[in-house]
Amino acid sequence: MQEKRLADLHVHTNFSDSNFSPLEAVQQAKKLGLCAIAITDHDTVKGIAQAVKAGKAYNIEVIPGIELTCERNGCEIHMLGYFIDYKKRWFRNKLEEICSQRIERSKEILEKLKQHGVGIKIEDVLKLSHGGSTGRLHIAQAMVKKGVVRSLKDAFRKYIGDKAPCYVSKFKVTPKEAIEMITKLGGVPVIAHPHILGEDKLIPEFIEYGLRGIEAYHSDHPDHIAKFYANLAKKHNLFITGGSDCHGSGKGHILMGKVKLPYELVEKLKKAKPQ
Ligand code: AMP
Ligand code: FE
Ligand code: FE
Ligand code: ZN
């Protein structure tokens, strides 16, 4: 009997907030017997080319993707894009702009930390994001490294979490813009981990903008929740996707393999790609 072909459509690299290089992400997929992964870094496509190259060497299909951070009325929304034409100049320029804003925001957070007696240098934070997208996880990692806090969790709880004193908000892209950009790149826009978001009422609005899928299967979606979102996708005639949201071992244990999506669903998604 032929073995079932399985994929993971939500994988980060060390160009955003994973500690796995693109090569290590592909090697991990190989070790787990997956046939395909999607690289979906936050607001950057810098890890894709290396992953595609590694994928050829290891016979793993690497799907070019992204996880765009958006904001709507103060609420943070993550929009996944699959099969995007990631080399487009206009898109790369837009991402550079977003990543520069991320660095500026990181500096603002460091300024606030300084006022709270915590001295972290921006250079030490930037080292951890490899010229990709810089964020709070890198700041938290730098704080742990310096011995200011005992764990990443502590860093978020005491200093940089959404409701902590050194938090700074950041995002200027709206879900509408994100969906339109992904579509313009020939990609398929999919709402990421809706259970974490907790704003299902927004989905019909996103469909109007061109949303094509729901990430029903995710490491933070228990079985009954995954089932709920798979049904919701069917109800709205949307594609069902899933992935582990693996961040390497940087946030604790390695999540890749926790969600395994039947490859047939990847094939359906491929067909959804605007022609
Ligand atoms: P940013 O995009 O810069 O706002 O940073 C988001 C990153 O911080 C992601 O990797 C999140 O998973 C991580 N993060 C946010 N809140 C927490 C928390 N309370 N504990 C650990 N990681 C968190
Ligand atoms: Fe992340
Ligand atoms: Fe996310
Ligand atoms: Zn993610």
Side-chain angles (χ1 to χ4, degrees):
M1 205 178 76
Q2 207 191 345
E3 266 190 55
K4 207 164 164 45
R5 301 179 75 205
L6 299 164
D8 184 336
L9 297 188
H10 195 148
V11 176
H12 292 273
T13 77
N14 59 4
F15 285 91
S16 67
D17 54 355
S18 168
N19 62 346
F20 276 2
S21 67
L23 172 64
E24 286 167 331
V26 168
Q27 285 171 332
Q28 185 68 20
K30 187 75 190 175
K31 204 161 115 187
L32 292 164
L34 300 174
C35 72
I37 57 169
I39 299 295
T40 54
D41 275 319
H42 300 285
D43 305 323
T44 182
V45 291
K46 287 189 177 164
I48 297 177
Q50 286 180 28
V52 168
K53 189 167 167 230
K56 282 185 186 136
Y58 285 85
N59 195 25
I60 300 282
E61 180 181 350
V62 172
I63 295 158
I66 188 130
E67 185 174 17
L68 287 171
T69 318
C70 324
E71 200 186 283
R72 185 188 174 283
N73 297 341
C75 176
E76 189 172 314
I77 291 153
H78 291 182
M79 199 61 70
L80 293 160
Y82 292 114
F83 301 105
I84 52 169
D85 187 351
Y86 67 98
K87 291 182 180 160
K88 279 272 184 284
R89 179 52 47 200
W90 66 265
F91 186 55
R92 293 204 165 219
N93 289 343
K94 179 75 190 171
L95 294 178
E96 278 307 319
E97 198 186 296
I98 294 172
C99 288
S100 304
Q101 281 168 8
R102 276 180 163 278
I103 293 172
E104 288 314 306
R105 173 212 186 214
S106 296
K107 287 181 188 165
E108 286 175 42
I109 294 175
L110 295 191
E111 197 49 50
K112 282 197 171 184
L113 281 171
K114 203 166 143 191
Q115 287 161 16
H116 283 76
V118 179
I120 301 283
K121 287 200 279 268
I122 188 70
E123 295 77 30
D124 294 337
V125 177
L126 292 177
K127 244 186 260 166
L128 299 166
S129 58
H130 302 89
S133 75
T134 311
R136 283 181 293 162
L137 195 69
H138 305 116
I139 295 175
Q141 284 165 343
M143 289 168 81
V144 172
K145 223 172 175 178
K146 221 180 161 196
V148 180
V149 285
R150 262 190 292 177
S151 65
L152 296 173
K153 229 182 167 153
D154 270 0
F156 280 91
R157 193 171 50 81
K158 291 189 193 157
Y159 296 101
I160 60 172
D162 296 11
K163 295 192 172 69
C166 302
Y167 177 72
V168 175
S169 74
K170 55 183 179 261
F171 301 107
K172 297 198 168 67
V173 175
T174 64
K176 183 172 188 278
E177 285 168 333
I179 290 170
E180 287 173 354
M181 276 197 280
I182 292 164
T183 308
K184 198 169 151 195
L185 292 166
V188 186
V190 172
I191 178 96
H193 44 66
H195 182 54
I196 302 179
L197 174 65
E199 293 279 352
D200 291 351
K201 61 179 187 300
L202 297 177
I203 291 176
E205 178 188 320
F206 296 166
I207 294 172
E208 275 181 39
Y209 305 147
L211 184 78
R212 306 289 310 276
I214 296 181
E215 186 180 49
Y217 302 98
H218 182 272
S219 301
D220 290 331
H221 286 185
D223 285 352
H224 70 285
I225 295 291
K227 218 175 261 173
F228 170 80
Y229 283 110
N231 282 331
L232 192 67
K234 280 182 200 149
K235 187 181 137 198
H236 289 293
N237 206 15
L238 295 172
F239 293 97
I240 296 165
T241 75
S244 64
D245 209 349
C246 179
H247 285 77
S249 56
K251 285 191 189 185
H253 61 288
I254 300 168
L255 288 174
M256 205 189 293
K258 197 170 167 193
V259 172
K260 293 176 179 173
L261 194 74
Y263 191 74
E264 296 85 77
L265 292 176
V266 180
E267 280 172 333
K268 281 192 186 173
L269 201 64
K270 242 183 229 185
K271 286 187 194 138
K273 198 174 145 38
Q275 298 305 312

